[in-house]
Amino acid sequence: SGQGERADLSGVDLSNVDLSYANLSRANLYGADLTDANLLKADLYKANLQSARLAGTILQNANLAYADLRDADLYGASLTGAKLTHANLTHADLTTADLANAKLSHAALVDASLHGANLTNANLTGINLTGTDLTVAKGSDTVRGFKG
């Protein structure tokens, strides 16, 4: 079992902390404050990030596959190249987030906000966008698998 695996960090204040390359797979980060934290290439596979505060957080090339991001605040977060396949982003706020080259196939984005987000070359194959705000989303013409 890798370090951090199934760690309980619910409600913890990790704002501005450098967690690049951290192994947080299956960690419980429910309601945690990760505002402006550095999670570059972090492993958050199947992590519970429900209601987490991730505004301005660096999540470039992070593994968020199957992560629970329901009601998460990802305002202005950098998710370039991030793996979000099968992630649950229901009601998540991705306003002005950078999702260029992100892998979002089969993710749930029901009632999420992507207002002003950058979706350049993102992969949205098989995604559920019911009720999602895509107004002024940049690069939506370059998105793969987008049926909007």
Side-chain angles (χ1 to χ4, degrees):
S1 67
Q3 98 196 54
E5 197 166 328
R6 290 185 198 81
D8 187 357
L9 298 165
S10 52
V12 170
D13 183 355
L14 295 166
S15 54
N16 297 297
V17 173
D18 185 358
L19 292 164
S20 49
Y21 301 94
N23 177 6
L24 293 163
S25 62
R26 297 184 174 86
N28 180 8
L29 290 151
Y30 179 94
D33 186 356
L34 292 149
T35 308
D36 295 320
N38 181 0
L39 286 155
L40 174 80
K41 292 193 175 176
D43 186 359
L44 291 151
Y45 173 78
K46 283 194 175 175
N48 178 0
L49 289 152
Q50 196 178 339
S51 301
R53 295 190 288 284
L54 296 149
T57 302
I58 296 166
L59 287 154
Q60 290 164 341
N61 298 308
N63 180 7
L64 289 149
Y66 294 93
D68 184 352
L69 288 149
R70 285 174 292 168
D71 300 303
D73 177 6
L74 289 147
Y75 185 97
S78 176
L79 291 145
T80 52
K83 185 177 182 181
L84 289 147
T85 47
H86 297 277
N88 187 344
L89 289 146
T90 301
H91 287 142
D93 184 1
L94 289 149
T95 305
T96 70
D98 191 350
L99 289 152
N101 299 305
K103 296 154 198 78
L104 286 148
S105 54
H106 305 288
L109 273 159
V110 180
D111 296 323
S113 174
L114 285 161
H115 185 87
N118 181 4
L119 294 167
T120 306
N121 293 319
N123 185 342
L124 298 181
T125 310
I127 202 165
N128 184 345
L129 287 163
T130 308
T132 293
D133 176 6
L134 285 160
T135 45
V136 229
K138 297 182 208 85
S140 46
D141 53 326
T142 67
V143 165
R144 282 163 287 165
F146 182 53
K147 298 173 188 73

